[in-house]
Amino acid sequence: MSFIKKNDPELFDVMYKELERQTENLELIASENFVSRSVLEAAGSVLTNKYAEGYPYRFSRKTGELKYRLYGRYYGGCEFIDKVEELAIERAKEIFGAEHVNVQPHSGSQANMAAYFTLVDPGDTVLSLELAHGGHLTHGHPLSFSGMMYNIISYGVDKETEVFNYDEILKLAKKHKPKMILTGASAYPRKIDFQKFREIADTVDAKLFVDMAHIAGLVATGEHQNPVPYADIVTTTTHKTLRGPRGGMILCTEELAKEVDKQVFPGTQGGPLEHIIAAKAAAFHEALQDDFKTYQKQIILNAKALAKALKDNGFRLVADGTDTHLILIDLGTKDSGGPSGKKMEGALDNAGITANKNTVPFDTRPPFVASGIRLGTPAITTRGMKEKEMKQIADLITEVFDNYKDKEKLAQIKQNVNELSAKFPLYPDLLAEG
Ligand code: DSN
């Protein structure tokens, strides 16, 4: 950041403070991660200068076949940009075994919008996961385009087990006859059976759309069932377990390729962010290496170890634990006397532990207060932490819970948090530039 430091100290100051925050704190937000220097370099490269509306390929008018470099761009000078985007596409296809990939969505929400536009028409019925049971805004929240444009019928988790009851989802599908079924979650700690969802979709002749944003890294290395063989369209972000830059991506069948591409550009976006697409290519290269498998395995080992230690310390976990990267602590209702999700998030922040409040299934509090805390292990696993540190982190979280009103105590806990973080250096050369 030496140029910003020299030319714009005001901006440098806050950027450097954010670097310190990421370095010193414990990052437990389940959807965040720390990218490699290669990904950072690509995201901060001259590729940001280039307009490249269109694609590095065109569908042949005669056969419909997709061909690379047939002047699918609306601007000149795209010969190297084309190669960058091809690399990202081909690597993503190899990782997930997809017939067609669009790497241009600027975000997960935009990828989801293009998927809806491809598969359903305004007013159509969509069976989708309830936000309070782990779904995402774009899965049908009334204030999102998805809730505004479609007739959303929500399914949730079973009240007893807090996991999906596929028989109940089938019943809902038979009753409402949706044109599309959507699954994938932002706060569901257990594995999802995409094959079962396909069977349900086939029973009612619906399309299946899977948003695998949270688990894409686990899917990439076989730690979670791959939705690609089962879904008509799969979307993902690239910055969560997949550990790439902030962005989105769509994977689909050859049959839907043309329509998906049309709905991304010009349907919902203009010029692609080619520097981010280069960073996606860099991350996909990393995802194809052997050590990425080790990393994804450790994410789950860490999540299981953290879940066990939290349970041993007396916390109740939604769905009784995890088999992914994510844990949802139920802090109890207002009457049980503990902090709300909002208060616990604030107390954790004061202790240098970053996490987010989250509703739990059948929550009695509104989403901005919530009764849960969502935790995830992708970022701390990237730092090199293992099962031993998970026990320490569970104890630190427990101390915060027990002292959530005591600012002084929280400041003391923060010192222990910072000591633990310091043992696992992050971006040391960037820090040295300060
Ligand atoms: N905001 C994301 C998350 O934290 O899960 C969802 O895309």
Side-chain angles (χ1 to χ4, degrees):
M1 293 194 286
S2 53
F3 286 92
I4 302 176
K5 187 176 180 182
K6 189 162 153 248
N7 298 322
D8 189 346
E10 192 182 2
L11 176 62
F12 177 80
D13 182 53
V14 280
M15 286 178 72
Y16 194 79
K17 282 197 172 104
E18 171 60 13
L19 174 64
E20 285 181 320
R21 188 195 67 78
Q22 292 187 17
T23 311
E24 290 167 8
N25 288 5
L26 277 176
E27 182 53 72
L28 292 177
I29 291 182
S31 48
E32 292 189 12
N33 213 329
F34 300 119
V35 299
S36 69
R37 294 305 309 272
S38 299
V39 171
L40 273 186
E41 205 168 288
S45 67
V46 295
L47 274 68
T48 192
N49 298 331
K50 190 72 194 97
Y51 250 125
E53 274 149 311
Y55 291 101
Y57 49 78
R58 252 181 112 159
F59 292 91
S60 149
R61 273 184 202 277
K62 274 193 193 144
T63 63
E65 201 188 340
L66 180 153
K67 294 220 189 269
Y68 276 123
R69 299 186 212 195
L70 275 178
Y71 310 107
R73 304 281 194 187
Y74 288 82
Y75 289 83
C78 285
E79 61 267 41
F80 304 115
I81 290 293
D82 280 355
K83 188 70 199 150
V84 166
E85 197 165 328
E86 281 170 38
L87 277 176
I89 292 166
E90 290 306 316
R91 288 171 182 176
K93 280 186 182 174
E94 188 181 343
I95 295 169
F96 297 105
E99 287 176 7
H100 183 74
V101 173
N102 187 311
V103 292
Q104 293 193 359
H106 302 331
S107 71
S109 293
Q110 288 196 264
N112 286 357
M113 189 182 232
Y116 273 90
F117 286 6
T118 303
L119 294 176
V120 280
D121 295 317
D124 280 346
T125 298
V126 174
L127 182 60
S128 181
L129 177 58
E130 160 97 44
L131 189 73
H133 289 220
H136 184 251
L137 286 171
T138 55
H139 298 180
H141 189 280
L143 297 178
S144 142
F145 75 91
S146 53
M148 290 190 254
M149 292 179 66
Y150 304 98
N151 175 35
I152 301 286
I153 306 290
S154 297
Y155 62 89
V157 296
D158 180 83
K159 199 154 192 178
E160 285 298 303
T161 60
E162 296 175 313
V163 295
F164 295 148
N165 178 334
Y166 294 93
D167 293 336
E168 288 302 318
I169 297 169
L170 174 63
K171 268 190 213 160
L172 271 178
K174 281 183 171 164
K175 184 171 167 200
H176 295 282
K177 299 194 175 36
K179 189 156 174 212
M180 179 173 90
I181 298 178
L182 200 170
T183 194
S186 295
Y188 184 77
R190 294 294 180 179
K191 286 186 171 159
I192 300 177
D193 190 337
F194 299 120
Q195 188 175 358
K196 281 227 171 81
F197 269 104
R198 176 79 262 171
E199 284 162 16
I200 296 170
D202 285 345
T203 307
V204 297
D205 203 20
K207 301 279 186 209
L208 179 63
F209 165 19
V210 174
D211 175 350
M212 66 164 178
H214 262 261
I215 55 166
L218 306 179
V219 169
T221 58
E223 295 300 319
H224 193 292
Q225 187 189 57
N226 186 352
V228 168
Y230 303 108
D232 295 282
I233 293 186
V234 175
T235 60
T236 185
T237 49
T238 46
H239 50 270
K240 297 185 172 95
T241 44
L242 199 49
R243 207 166 57 183
R246 190 157 293 281
M249 172 162 79
I250 304 181
L251 307 98
C252 66
T253 54
E254 202 65 70
E255 197 190 333
L256 289 174
K258 224 172 165 177
E259 191 58 26
V260 161
D261 284 358
K262 220 170 84 188
Q263 294 303 346
V264 173
F265 170 80
T268 50
Q269 290 188 175
L273 310 175
E274 291 294 344
H275 54 307
I276 297 301
I277 290 174
K280 288 173 186 171
F284 299 159
H285 174 72
E286 292 165 9
L288 284 163
Q289 309 309 308
D290 280 346
D291 58 0
F292 198 68
K293 286 194 179 73
T294 317
Y295 165 60
Q296 296 297 329
K297 273 192 197 315
Q298 192 63 47
I299 287 179
I300 295 182
L301 289 174
N302 283 352
K304 283 183 184 293
L306 182 57
K308 182 182 179 310
L310 288 167
K311 273 165 72 177
D312 289 347
N313 288 359
F315 284 106
R316 192 189 89 74
L317 305 187
V318 170
D320 198 35
T322 182
D323 34 41
T324 62
H325 63 300
L326 183 148
I327 294 165
L328 196 52
I329 302 181
D330 182 353
L331 299 164
T333 58
K334 230 190 317 194
D335 310 332
S336 61
S340 64
K342 185 180 178 186
K343 286 215 169 102
M344 184 67 182
E345 180 190 293
L348 286 166
D349 249 338
N350 286 333
I353 299 174
T354 314
N356 65 282
K357 60 183 162 297
N358 212 100
T359 47
V360 295
F362 311 100
D363 208 323
T364 52
R365 292 185 172 110
F368 204 70
V369 182
S371 300
I373 282 285
R374 188 184 67 161
L375 305 174
T377 53
I380 49 174
T381 307
T382 292
R383 290 189 82 150
M385 295 185 191
K386 296 227 164 88
E387 289 90 327
K388 186 174 138 230
E389 286 76 35
M390 298 307 117
K391 169 78 183 119
Q392 283 174 261
I393 292 171
D395 290 345
L396 289 164
I397 291 170
T398 309
E399 258 194 279
V400 171
F401 181 87
D402 291 338
N403 299 282
Y404 76 94
K405 288 182 182 157
D406 185 342
K407 284 237 160 92
E408 235 170 77
K409 181 71 189 167
L410 295 175
Q412 282 168 22
I413 300 170
K414 186 171 185 172
Q415 284 177 9
N416 296 337
V417 164
N418 295 159
E419 272 169 34
L420 176 60
S421 299
K423 290 186 196 152
F424 297 88
L426 182 70
Y427 304 131
D429 44 343
L430 290 181
L431 272 173
E433 284 176 14

